Amino acid sequence: MAERLLQASRQRRVKAMTAAAGSARQAAVPLLLCALLAPGGAYVLDDSDGLGREFDGIGAVSGGGATSRLLVNYPEPYRSQILDYLFKPNFGASLHILKVEIGGDGQTTDGTEPSHMHYALDEDYFRGYEWWLMKEAKKRNSNITLMGLPWSFPGWLGKGFNWPYVNRQLTAYYVVTWIVGAKHYHDLDIDYIGIWNERSFDINYIKVLRRMLNYQGLQQVKIIASDNLWEPISASMLHDPELLEVIDVIGAHYPGTHTVKDARLTKKKLWSSEDFSTSNNDVGAGCWGRILNQNYINGYMTATIAWNLVASYYEQLPYGRCGLMTAQEPWSGHYAVEAPIWISAHTTQFTQPGWYYLKTVGHLEKGGSYVALTDGLGNLTIIIETMSHKHSMCIRPFLPYFNVSQQFATFVLKGSFSEIPELQVWYTKLGKPSERFLFKQLDSLWLNSGGSFTLELQEDELFTLTTLTTGRKGSYPLPPKSQPFPCVYNDDFNVDYPFFSEAPNFADQTGVFEYFMNIEDPGEHRFTLRQVLNQRPITWAADAFNTISVIGDYQWSNLTIKCDVYIETPEKGGVFIAGRVNKGGILIRSARGVFFWIFADGTYRVTGDLAGWTIYTVGRADITAKKWYTLTLTIKGGFSSGLLNGRPLWKNVSVTFPKHGWAAIGTHSFEFAQFDNFHLEAAH
């Protein structure tokens, strides 16, 4: 082993000598001092007394909800580049785990994701984009762990109640069909399945789900519960031997690096199955760096999963830019590889699921922490972080104050690691641009004969020291410059065989809008966009009572929207087009804007909000169901006007609030309706 390391070191040194990096680079990074210079005690890394817990990986969530919505529209090569930064081993974040939402048709934070079963007798395993994303992840890393978790459920499972456990067998069947469909249609093996995100679990449902998985020959699919708090799931497992047996992993959300006694007593794997959720600036990066170490040190958690994978949703939706990287402009191709990508790499590129933590992990004397992991074959990876309180606050929970200050830290390698002669060094420093480094490879570190080394540590730093020589900071040429959403936009939805079920850039906020083919319409409305839900889902958030999909630039103020609309429900049906829509995501129910409605009962209405509380004007018009109409809405300054089939229906209606927002289409209730020839022209 030592000979191999020495050989690798010689190769590295030749590379280093030929590289363009000079003494200026070395001056800018902290000194790696030889041992004996450091006062104080040393931190011992030793496997003589056995190892700690098995490491299960670092990952991220796509969904919960619609967080990857805009990613699929990216043109190549940019879309593949983004995916490489996320999933390609030894390139960027190199994630070990991908967790996806099992779409349930409901609003789940930043939009709705479509279910594979909108209705009881309906199955379609090509809706949405999570299937595609899982395949792209597997393409890059065949060993990636795949997880599925429902947030909302289609309404038919509730039998009239907003509750997924009315018929446990039916809900278990629904979830199992998703797992079977993933394999049958996409050759994807789902490794872990969850219960109901951040909502109540049902003990008998969990047992039914396990039995149904086994009955379908899916014994290898493991159950994680309850994707909420440590309790009451942990206590429930201790009191119920069958429940204890069927749950493989306890997953808690935003645990603040701590666990509870009951969870440890179960002797199950403990995961932070959703964490981070913080803006992807340097504070978010500091949060991520701190919890990746301390979730294990303080809480014995062997996997940490970030919400969310990539910020691919309109930034003004809730939790804008809370992904590991940002890709919210498919129209321009612009994306940003943010600092959390490189924080991830410090762990992911130098470990794998199946490695083990050492028992010798802990906190540094003057703030910060260290972990060490091994593959059991002689490799060792040490990750040291000194994130300050101010620069590592996650969005939740509250972080008690702690202090980090400059320090010298001596580490001594013992046990099977005592003969390691050399470690590769990767370094990050967050903070002022002049001092900032992200995942920079430094000169390798030679250990002295006692197997020790000393580092000078400042605050907001991250070091990885490893025997592995495979680390790499991947890069591509800079993507195109950021551009606003096009001011003139058209979509006729004329797609014969759509690759994705949803039209580009439309972000469904309640309801599901899908490409549709009118078999009986040979004319210009053969291909349309259709709202396909006819009942309210079992909701996770406060979905609106109307369906709505938003599009465009949130800064738009003056605009004209024109769209052909088709009400399918006689007498009670209604549709709208809208501008200046100011809210979305979990806040969609209270969205304000300018909404132009027509109804199958021969009336029209203009309202200042989605719920219809603020009525600007109403009237009668020659409108009925099952007929196409062209609506035009113009908003300019403080006034708006509307046309029906090109003729004025209302004009100069005063609109003072909001001043700007998205364009939108939608329906009066959960009802079928169609839209075609969408056209908008906007000025800020």
Side-chain angles (χ1 to χ4, degrees):
M1 185 69 210
E3 284 167 19
R4 230 171 46 236
L5 284 167
L6 284 166
Q7 191 184 351
S9 154
R10 281 189 213 103
Q11 290 166 352
R12 275 252 326 100
R13 283 175 173 259
V14 170
K15 265 200 283 189
M17 286 159 64
T18 55
S23 57
R25 178 199 75 174
Q26 291 183 348
V29 296
L31 282 168
L32 297 172
L33 302 169
C34 68
L36 308 175
L37 289 182
Y43 304 98
V44 175
L45 302 175
D46 191 358
D47 62 352
S48 304
D49 189 29
L51 298 169
R53 293 192 173 214
E54 183 182 5
F55 175 66
D56 296 307
I58 306 300
V61 184
S62 171
T67 53
S68 305
R69 175 68 194 92
L70 298 173
L71 176 63
V72 296
N73 311 342
Y74 264 80
E76 293 294 352
Y78 311 115
R79 191 174 70 176
S80 289
Q81 291 172 6
I82 295 162
L83 293 163
D84 284 350
Y85 280 117
L86 295 168
F87 300 118
K88 189 176 176 181
N90 300 311
F91 189 84
S94 308
L95 296 172
H96 304 136
I97 301 168
L98 172 60
K99 176 177 178 177
V100 303
E101 176 178 352
I102 299 176
D105 295 336
Q107 168 61 249
T108 52
T109 299
D110 290 300
T112 68
E113 296 205 22
S115 170
H116 62 289
M117 295 178 76
H118 292 318
Y119 332 109
L121 300 175
D122 160 64
E123 287 185 56
D124 185 334
Y125 297 91
F126 294 90
R127 290 189 185 119
Y129 32 85
E130 304 298 2
W131 313 106
W132 166 82
L133 185 63
M134 287 190 283
K135 285 191 286 191
E136 292 294 327
K138 275 280 184 190
K139 209 186 279 184
R140 288 162 174 79
N141 176 6
S142 59
N143 295 320
I144 198 164
T145 298
L146 297 178
M147 305 175 65
L149 174 66
W151 267 249
S152 68
F153 296 83
W156 59 273
L157 286 171
K159 309 278 188 189
F161 295 91
N162 196 38
W163 190 244
Y165 308 127
V166 173
N167 183 329
R168 299 182 185 100
Q169 274 79 9
L170 197 59
T171 299
Y173 167 79
Y174 165 81
V175 169
V176 170
T177 58
W178 185 86
I179 299 170
V180 171
K183 180 64 176 174
H184 183 78
Y185 293 97
H186 303 286
D187 197 25
L188 292 167
D189 293 300
I190 304 300
D191 299 294
Y192 291 87
I193 195 74
I195 307 305
W196 188 13
N197 182 73
E198 294 173 358
R199 297 293 180 265
S200 305
F201 62 89
D202 180 286
I203 290 171
N204 288 322
Y205 168 74
I206 298 172
K207 295 174 183 177
V208 166
L209 178 61
R210 179 74 268 166
R211 284 199 290 273
M212 199 170 286
L213 287 166
N214 293 350
Y215 181 74
Q216 289 289 336
L218 297 167
Q219 289 85 352
Q220 77 284 1
V221 178
K222 296 184 171 74
I223 289 178
I224 178 168
S226 68
D227 281 293
N228 202 345
L229 305 175
W230 293 116
E231 297 291 14
I233 190 68
S234 300
S236 301
M237 291 167 69
L238 293 174
H239 290 115
D240 185 330
E242 188 189 346
L243 184 67
L244 183 68
E245 190 182 337
V246 300
I247 293 173
D248 300 279
V249 176
I250 304 179
H253 287 195
Y254 307 95
T257 77
H258 292 281
T259 185
V260 298
K261 186 182 175 187
D262 279 355
R264 294 199 301 276
L265 287 174
T266 64
K267 299 201 163 40
K268 295 288 182 176
K269 287 179 177 289
L270 309 178
W271 290 9
S272 176
S273 53
E274 187 180 313
D275 219 323
F276 180 61
S277 193
T278 304
S279 182
N280 56 26
N281 56 21
D282 271 15
V283 174
C287 151
W288 188 229
R290 177 175 56 79
I291 65 178
L292 285 184
N293 266 19
Q294 296 193 25
N295 274 350
Y296 182 71
I297 296 164
N298 302 337
Y300 308 95
M301 287 166 262
T302 53
T304 297
I305 299 171
W307 187 90
N308 58 70
L309 175 72
V310 53
S312 278
Y313 45 99
Y314 291 115
E315 189 172 337
Q316 295 81 7
L317 288 168
Y319 306 101
R321 296 186 86 113
C322 283
L324 296 180
M325 63 181 288
T326 305
Q328 58 190 18
E329 286 185 28
W331 48 87
S332 72
H334 178 76
Y335 63 85
V337 185
E338 312 282 7
I341 290 287
W342 304 117
I343 298 292
S344 305
H346 271 277
T347 298
T348 56
Q349 289 202 21
F350 309 105
T351 58
Q352 285 300 323
W355 283 43
Y356 278 81
Y357 283 100
L358 270 56
K359 287 181 177 173
T360 47
V361 300
H363 292 271
L364 297 169
E365 189 184 346
K366 294 188 176 176
S369 67
Y370 65 96
V371 294
L373 300 97
T374 182
D375 61 354
L377 303 171
N379 282 307
L380 176 69
T381 291
I382 307 159
I383 304 132
I384 302 161
E385 62 80 22
T386 57
M387 299 303 161
S388 63
H389 183 271
K390 183 180 175 186
H391 295 134
S392 73
M393 278 190 275
C394 305
I395 198 167
R396 66 178 80 90
F398 171 76
L399 181 63
Y401 183 74
F402 59 87
N403 190 55
V404 177
S405 54
Q406 187 260 356
Q407 60 194 305
F408 291 97
T410 298
F411 292 85
V412 183
L413 273 49
K414 293 195 172 174
S416 70
F417 310 118
S418 60
E419 299 297 312
I420 291 173
E422 180 195 19
L423 293 168
Q424 310 302 313
V425 184
W426 293 82
Y427 173 69
T428 287
K429 168 79 171 174
L430 300 172
K432 294 198 291 262
S434 59
E435 300 170 2
R436 193 170 180 263
F437 292 93
L438 292 174
F439 198 57
K440 185 178 182 67
Q441 186 167 16
L442 307 185
D443 284 344
S444 58
L445 178 72
W446 287 81
L447 280 70
N448 73 7
S449 56
S452 70
F453 62 91
T454 298
L455 299 179
E456 179 185 0
L457 303 173
Q458 311 285 348
E459 63 176 33
D460 298 325
E461 292 182 333
L462 194 55
F463 280 93
T464 298
L465 301 103
T466 179
T467 54
L468 297 183
T469 56
T470 47
R472 176 181 167 212
K473 186 172 183 180
S475 67
Y476 285 111
L478 282 175
K481 283 192 166 56
S482 174
Q483 301 279 349
F485 195 97
C487 283
V488 178
Y489 188 81
N490 295 291
D491 197 336
D492 60 13
F493 311 116
N494 288 357
V495 185
D496 209 340
Y497 296 102
F499 194 72
F500 293 105
S501 56
E502 297 157 288
N505 303 315
F506 280 92
D508 303 350
Q509 300 303 311
T510 296
V512 174
F513 294 74
E514 293 178 351
Y515 283 121
F516 182 67
M517 184 163 73
N518 280 315
I519 297 162
E520 69 274 9
D521 189 331
E524 66 163 316
H525 298 299
R526 184 167 172 77
F527 298 101
T528 66
L529 192 68
R530 188 185 195 216
Q531 199 295 117
V532 296
L533 299 192
N534 62 355
Q535 69 181 115
R536 187 176 180 79
I538 296 171
T539 56
W540 182 81
D543 297 46
F545 293 97
N546 331 81
T547 74
I548 177 171
S549 188
V550 303
I551 188 170
D553 190 325
Y554 190 77
Q555 302 308 323
W556 282 344
S557 179
N558 298 333
L559 75 162
T560 295
I561 306 156
K562 185 178 175 185
C563 189
D564 298 342
V565 298
Y566 184 85
I567 302 168
E568 294 190 38
T569 308
E571 294 167 27
K572 292 184 179 176
V575 298
F576 70 81
I577 62 173
R580 293 188 186 172
V581 177
N582 73 339
K583 284 182 186 163
I586 46 178
L587 307 173
I588 188 61
R589 200 184 275 195
S590 57
R592 304 275 298 271
V594 183
F595 295 80
F596 175 17
W597 310 76
I598 62 167
F599 297 92
D601 65 1
T603 61
Y604 72 87
R605 189 172 297 178
V606 183
T607 67
D609 61 337
L610 177 61
W613 295 110
T614 307
I615 298 172
Y616 289 139
T617 186
V618 294
R620 298 203 63 80
D622 185 15
I623 300 158
T624 182
K626 313 272 188 186
K627 197 173 168 190
W628 283 97
Y629 299 92
T630 302
L631 299 186
T632 308
L633 170 64
T634 299
I635 311 170
K636 192 168 186 184
F639 294 94
S640 64
S641 307
L643 308 180
L644 176 66
N645 293 339
R647 295 197 185 94
L649 189 61
W650 51 277
K651 57 184 176 184
N652 295 331
V653 167
S654 174
V655 290
T656 54
F657 181 86
K659 299 294 185 198
H660 54 82
W662 297 292
I665 57 174
T667 65
H668 176 57
S669 64
F670 287 94
E671 61 184 276
F672 299 132
Q674 294 176 56
F675 303 84
D676 202 1
N677 300 319
F678 181 83
H679 169 82
L680 62 80
E681 292 181 37
H684 282 251

